[in-house]
Amino acid sequence: MDSAMQEDIIINNASLIDATAASDFNSFYNSMLDKYMQPGFWHGFFVSLAVIIVSEIGDKTFFIAAIMAMKHPRMLIFSAAIGALIVMTILSVVLGFLTTVIPQIYTFYAATFLFVIFGLRMLYEGYYMSDDEGQEELEEVQMELKKKEEEIDNQKTVSDLETGHSESPVNSKPTLLNSILKSIFSPIFITAFTMTFLAEWGDRSQITTIILSSREDPWGVCIGGCFGHSLCTAGAVIGGRMIAQRISVRTVTLIGGVVFLLFAVSSLYRGPD
């Protein structure tokens, strides 16, 4: 076999491989496009996004990120807070998806009932809420964070005394990996992560995410929820105090109540199927 024939065989095989890879990519792309262009995905996305925004602005997790970002690097606090919220969102979606083994008629009426309860409760809370409710929530979170920081300082002091050394400047330049690991396992990151996670556990937005993922497209609910948390957390770390002062928590709560009731009406209109 001469060299020209070998070159032709190699070229033909390469073309065949390229054509196969392109066909596989096109099939994958079309399948993903078909999935995410479905009305169910976008309905779940926007419903989840709206729920998170009206539930999280002025919430405890919002103020945790806002206050900690005033004293510590914003990117560090944002990473910790959004990490906790994404983990919580994924867990909630999984829990909601697992309830699909229950007959749909039961989850339909349970979800609609909870939407009505949440909506009426938010309207009740917003109606009787004082105008400085956001300031009271802010002060409460500040007190909790102050206690947490005092505990961290005390633990650090005890650790230094036990080891017999304190922090000293290091001449060697830390690597990028060491800097990332030091930030992730730093007391500040762990505090922001755990406080955000615990504050979100059992919160109205978590329960609503579980409900939505049992009724809507779980991918849409998950991505919409994570996107909503990202927007709220970014707003908190960039200018949380200013947002809390300019946006009335009472108004947001009343709007949230109306939104939940609209979801209940929409759910009844769409029916259990």
Side-chain angles (χ1 to χ4, degrees):
M1 185 181 293
D2 57 11
S3 59
M5 184 176 295
Q6 289 179 347
E7 289 179 1
D8 291 339
I9 292 174
I10 293 173
I11 293 173
N12 291 333
N13 289 336
S15 300
L16 182 60
I17 293 173
D18 291 340
T20 304
S23 177
D24 292 341
F25 175 79
N26 288 333
S27 299
F28 174 77
Y29 176 78
N30 290 330
S31 64
M32 295 298 289
L33 189 65
D34 291 339
K35 177 178 178 57
Y36 294 120
M37 288 306 291
Q38 293 297 324
F41 171 84
W42 290 109
H43 187 271
F45 175 88
F46 286 114
V47 168
S48 180
L49 176 64
V51 164
I52 295 302
I53 290 176
V54 299
S55 299
E56 292 301 313
I57 294 180
D59 194 38
K60 193 171 185 178
T61 54
F62 181 89
F63 287 123
I64 288 173
I67 296 171
M68 294 194 73
M70 296 175 191
K71 301 179 181 179
H72 307 287
R74 291 177 176 176
M75 195 62 197
L76 177 65
I77 301 303
F78 176 81
S79 301
I82 197 60
L85 293 170
I86 287 176
V87 170
M88 181 64 70
T89 301
I90 294 173
L91 288 175
S92 301
V93 170
V94 170
L95 288 174
F97 182 74
L98 292 176
T99 62
T100 54
V101 298
I102 302 173
Q104 194 172 18
I105 188 69
Y106 297 128
T107 58
F108 165 74
Y109 284 114
T112 306
F113 175 75
L114 288 175
F115 280 145
V116 172
I117 294 298
F118 287 156
L120 293 177
R121 182 178 177 181
M122 291 184 76
L123 290 176
Y124 177 83
E125 291 175 351
Y127 182 78
Y128 290 102
M129 187 180 290
S130 60
D131 293 332
D132 59 347
E133 182 73 20
Q135 187 64 30
E136 295 175 1
E137 184 80 13
L138 180 65
E139 292 174 357
E140 180 183 344
V141 174
Q142 282 179 325
M143 291 296 295
E144 292 185 16
L145 287 173
K146 185 177 180 181
K147 293 179 181 178
K148 202 74 176 177
E149 289 178 352
E150 289 176 353
E151 292 177 3
I152 293 174
D153 291 338
N154 292 335
Q155 292 175 358
K156 187 176 180 181
T157 302
V158 171
S159 177
D160 289 341
L161 290 175
E162 290 177 349
T163 55
H165 70 276
S166 58
E167 290 185 354
S168 59
V170 180
N171 294 328
S172 60
K173 186 177 180 181
T175 63
L176 178 61
L177 179 60
N178 288 337
S179 299
I180 294 174
L181 292 176
K182 187 176 180 181
S183 297
I184 292 176
F185 294 103
S186 67
I188 301 303
F189 183 94
I190 295 173
T191 299
F193 185 95
T194 54
M195 287 194 68
T196 303
F197 188 88
L198 294 175
E200 188 68 13
W201 185 265
D203 192 55
R204 180 168 42 230
S205 58
Q206 187 208 12
I207 298 173
T208 306
T209 302
I210 295 174
I211 297 170
L212 287 175
S213 56
S214 68
R215 288 276 302 143
E216 305 287 344
D217 184 282
W219 286 104
V221 173
C222 185
I223 296 174
C226 292
F227 184 60
H229 280 303
S230 299
L231 292 178
C232 293
T233 306
V237 299
I238 292 173
R241 184 181 289 273
M242 181 186 66
I243 293 174
Q245 291 174 346
R246 296 197 176 188
I247 297 179
S248 171
V249 177
R250 182 173 184 268
T251 302
V252 174
T253 304
L254 291 172
I255 293 174
V258 174
V259 169
F260 273 99
L261 292 178
L262 288 176
F263 287 159
V265 173
S266 173
S267 180
L268 288 172
Y269 176 77
R270 294 175 65 194
D273 299 327

